Amino acid sequence: MAASSNSSLSGSSVSSDPEDYQPPIWKSYLYQLQQEAPRPKRITCPQEMESRPKYYGREFHGMIPREYADELLAGVEGAYLIRESQRQPGTHTLALRFGHQTLNYRLFYDGKHFVGEKRFESVHDLVTDALITLYIETKAAEYIAKMTTNPIYEHLGYTSLLKDKMVHRLSRGRTEPRRVTFQRDERISSPLVRRSALKDTPEKQCSYEKIHNFKVHTFRGPHWCEYCANFMWGLIAQGVRCSDCGLNVHKQCSKLVPSDCQPDLRRIKKVFSCDLTTLVKAHNTTRPMVVDMCIREIELRGMKSEGLYRVSGFSEHIEDVRLAFDRDGEKADISANAYADINIIAGALKLYLRDLPIPVITFDLYSKFIQAAKIPNAESRLEAIHEGLLQLPPAHYETLRYLMAHLKRVTMFEKDNLMSAENLGIVFGPTLMQPPEQNALTTLNDMRQQKLVVQLMIEHEDVLF
């Protein structure tokens, strides 16, 4: 991105056509300030210091008083030196002249030089960055405090366009979560609930929102914040970048960016072990391709396979399927020609679900489902499970709904495959539900409830989803 004149975005027009998209006009004030910042000036020691650490140069002056360091730096903005502390021998202080005074910082080295969070290859780079930051934050403190009040983010053409496309695409294929009330039907002798009535309460809106995955980033060359349009100052770690969609913003602006990340397929390195919402947004689908493709293959040729999902396929072949999805995505070949044993495909599906960084039933809802399973009254238990389902992220809800509908169909072939809802609950309980603290004892103690939750979701799939 290149700097332009310091003007606002009001003069630019936004088109819904990507071909007509005009980038915003970036604000150059902070960039100009960075250009004006004092340059570092190393004050060298006239004699060789035997006590000088090997990672410092001639700017090291040994154990000198603070007052003498102040004299050496006096009158030269940006001048710096390193001295050994008299109060704490063996520790080092960076003395830096800025704003007509000497600033002293405790200096550390662990392979890189630092006084705060940022790590630098050289002391010179550290001082350069410090002078830029000090100068800009001194000259433009009020400007920086207000720069997020009039963001350009919502006016960016490509942002609104992507959002509209995603909503349109997902609205055609997703199923809205239903809020239901469970009632006992006196005409049915079963103690379990067999009837549901839709309530007129507002339904949960199913929008595939995803928070940005921001990480501190060092930008090479001038970069501007895509939230506030201001320059991202400094020498390194000037801001953060979303590792899923590539959005670049100031660290302080990242807290204000909406949860509207649209992952870029070029940034998604793999399919397995990828966050579920990230994957479906990157591929513009309602569910992960692995779930759709594996279930499709299993229902095509494996529904009568004895011990389906309980019998393990060869682990090496399951690993081959994982690699195929990571490499080829939706073009992965999992047909009978490639893998004749359907247990390999079933095993790959279980592996995918088990390896999700956030389980299908999310960590924050784990205890809610476990407690629901402990409720003795059957109707209240289903109510509690249903309430938990409504709180799942939309992509997780849709994946679970689709999987439970499939497992319900698996139980229809129980005479052949010997897999009841209870048996499937034993298999999928620990796969779909994992305690947030990853405690083996907790998992062991909760196995009965995990099994029951999945069993009930399979048996009452038509009511719960």
Side-chain angles (χ1 to χ4, degrees):
M1 302 176 184
S4 62
S5 59
N6 186 22
S7 56
S8 68
L9 192 69
S10 58
S12 64
S13 59
V14 173
S15 169
S16 61
D17 188 343
E19 297 297 327
D20 298 332
Y21 167 67
Q22 296 295 322
I25 299 174
W26 306 110
K27 303 169 186 177
S28 61
Y29 176 54
L30 297 179
Y31 176 75
Q32 292 168 359
L33 287 182
Q34 174 160 313
Q35 299 302 103
E36 298 169 5
R39 298 294 184 262
K41 301 173 182 66
R42 185 174 69 153
I43 304 301
T44 59
C45 183
Q47 67 263 18
E48 187 67 34
M49 302 297 299
E50 293 183 2
S51 62
R52 184 180 73 192
K54 61 181 180 180
Y55 40 83
Y56 295 140
R58 296 293 297 275
E59 69 275 5
F60 182 77
H61 287 249
M63 191 178 290
I64 60 174
R66 176 180 294 210
E67 295 75 18
Y68 181 50
D70 196 36
E71 290 179 18
L72 293 173
L73 301 176
V76 185
E77 281 288 281
Y80 72 95
L81 59 80
I82 299 171
R83 61 183 178 84
E84 185 174 357
S85 173
Q86 290 182 313
R87 295 179 182 177
Q88 295 179 290
T91 63
H92 303 99
T93 298
L94 171 67
L96 173 64
R97 192 73 178 179
F98 178 80
H100 308 295
Q101 61 179 324
T102 300
L103 307 176
N104 293 280
Y105 301 94
R106 177 81 175 273
L107 185 61
F108 300 91
Y109 181 81
D110 63 356
K112 290 189 177 182
H113 304 274
F114 62 99
V115 296
E117 293 182 356
K118 293 184 179 183
R119 262 60 171 177
F120 297 85
E121 296 291 344
S122 69
V123 174
H124 186 85
D125 287 348
L126 186 156
V127 174
T128 302
D129 186 82
L131 290 170
I132 291 171
T133 302
L134 287 167
Y135 188 78
I136 288 179
E137 292 183 354
T138 300
K139 293 283 187 179
E142 186 176 351
Y143 181 88
I144 291 172
K146 295 180 178 179
M147 69 182 184
T148 60
T149 57
N150 186 28
I152 64 163
Y153 187 76
E154 290 298 326
H155 304 292
L156 292 180
Y158 68 86
T159 302
S160 58
L161 185 64
L162 281 175
K163 190 183 299 182
D164 291 343
K165 281 186 175 181
M166 176 59 101
V167 170
H168 177 69
R169 173 72 179 271
L170 292 177
S171 64
R172 294 182 301 179
R174 70 188 178 211
T175 301
E176 296 283 343
R178 299 181 303 160
R179 182 176 293 279
V180 299
T181 300
F182 298 91
Q183 301 171 344
R184 183 182 301 279
D185 192 331
E186 300 299 335
R187 298 170 298 175
I188 299 178
S189 58
S190 169
L192 293 179
V193 178
R194 296 301 183 193
R195 181 164 66 89
S196 67
L198 290 175
K199 294 174 68 176
D200 293 330
T201 53
E203 295 178 349
K204 175 184 174 183
Q205 293 301 311
C206 185
S207 59
Y208 277 51
E209 291 188 350
K210 179 189 178 308
I211 61 174
H212 290 270
N213 185 17
F214 287 119
K215 295 180 180 178
V216 175
H217 188 78
T218 294
F219 299 94
R220 304 301 177 191
H223 270 72
W224 274 254
C225 175
E226 294 173 43
Y227 182 80
C228 71
N230 281 288
F231 179 67
M232 300 165 74
W233 66 89
L235 200 62
I236 69 168
Q238 304 96 327
V240 294
R241 167 176 287 175
C242 177
S243 58
D244 294 334
C245 72
L247 183 70
N248 303 318
V249 295
H250 292 112
K251 187 175 182 180
Q252 60 265 46
C253 291
S254 69
K255 301 172 184 176
L256 303 174
V257 175
S259 299
D260 60 355
C261 176
Q262 176 57 50
D264 186 340
L265 274 176
R266 294 171 297 180
R267 297 179 180 275
I268 307 301
K269 306 299 182 184
K270 54 187 177 180
V271 172
F272 276 61
S273 302
C274 177
D275 171 65
L276 198 155
T277 301
T278 299
L279 189 67
V280 298
K281 290 209 72 171
H283 288 271
N284 237 1
T285 58
T286 54
R287 295 176 300 275
M289 70 183 78
V290 179
V291 174
D292 278 11
M293 291 175 63
C294 288
I295 287 178
R296 190 182 309 126
E297 195 65 27
I298 290 166
E299 295 198 351
L300 180 66
R301 57 187 175 97
M303 298 294 271
K304 294 184 178 181
S305 177
E306 183 175 332
L308 180 64
Y309 289 116
R310 179 177 56 80
V311 176
S312 299
F314 287 113
S315 58
E316 290 182 2
H317 293 167
I318 292 173
E319 180 66 12
D320 287 342
V321 174
R322 183 186 71 81
L323 293 173
F325 274 114
D326 284 343
R327 182 184 62 247
D328 304 325
E330 59 188 12
K331 295 181 180 179
D333 182 8
I334 59 171
S335 66
N337 292 333
Y339 303 100
D341 183 3
I342 197 62
N343 294 311
I344 295 170
I345 308 304
L349 176 58
K350 289 189 296 180
L351 177 64
Y352 170 77
L353 297 170
R354 187 166 59 248
D355 281 359
L356 287 171
I358 301 175
V360 176
I361 293 178
T362 56
F363 290 127
D364 58 326
L365 292 174
Y366 177 84
S367 60
K368 185 177 183 68
F369 279 88
I370 293 296
Q371 292 306 314
K374 295 179 180 179
I375 297 174
N377 180 271
E379 295 173 24
S380 300
R381 187 166 57 224
L382 285 181
E383 284 275 11
I385 291 175
H386 181 64
E387 286 299 318
L389 291 173
L390 291 176
Q391 296 178 42
L392 286 172
H396 289 244
Y397 176 92
E398 175 59 24
T399 300
L400 191 59
R401 181 199 68 79
Y402 191 74
L403 178 63
M404 291 303 111
H406 162 67
L407 295 180
K408 182 70 171 285
R409 292 191 289 272
V410 170
T411 63
M412 295 177 182
F413 294 86
E414 182 184 350
K415 181 179 178 181
D416 299 294
N417 59 38
L418 308 180
M419 295 303 291
S420 63
E422 182 178 6
N423 290 339
L424 290 169
I426 294 172
V427 173
F428 279 93
T431 299
L432 300 174
M433 303 177 64
Q434 299 170 28
E437 65 275 10
Q438 297 297 315
N439 185 292
L441 183 60
T442 302
T443 303
L444 187 64
N445 292 336
D446 292 346
M447 283 184 67
R448 181 175 178 276
Q449 285 75 35
Q450 291 174 345
K451 182 266 293 182
L452 184 58
V453 167
V454 176
Q455 178 182 343
L456 291 173
M457 286 194 296
I458 294 172
E459 291 175 342
H460 302 280
E461 167 269 331
D462 57 331
V463 170
L464 289 170
F465 293 92

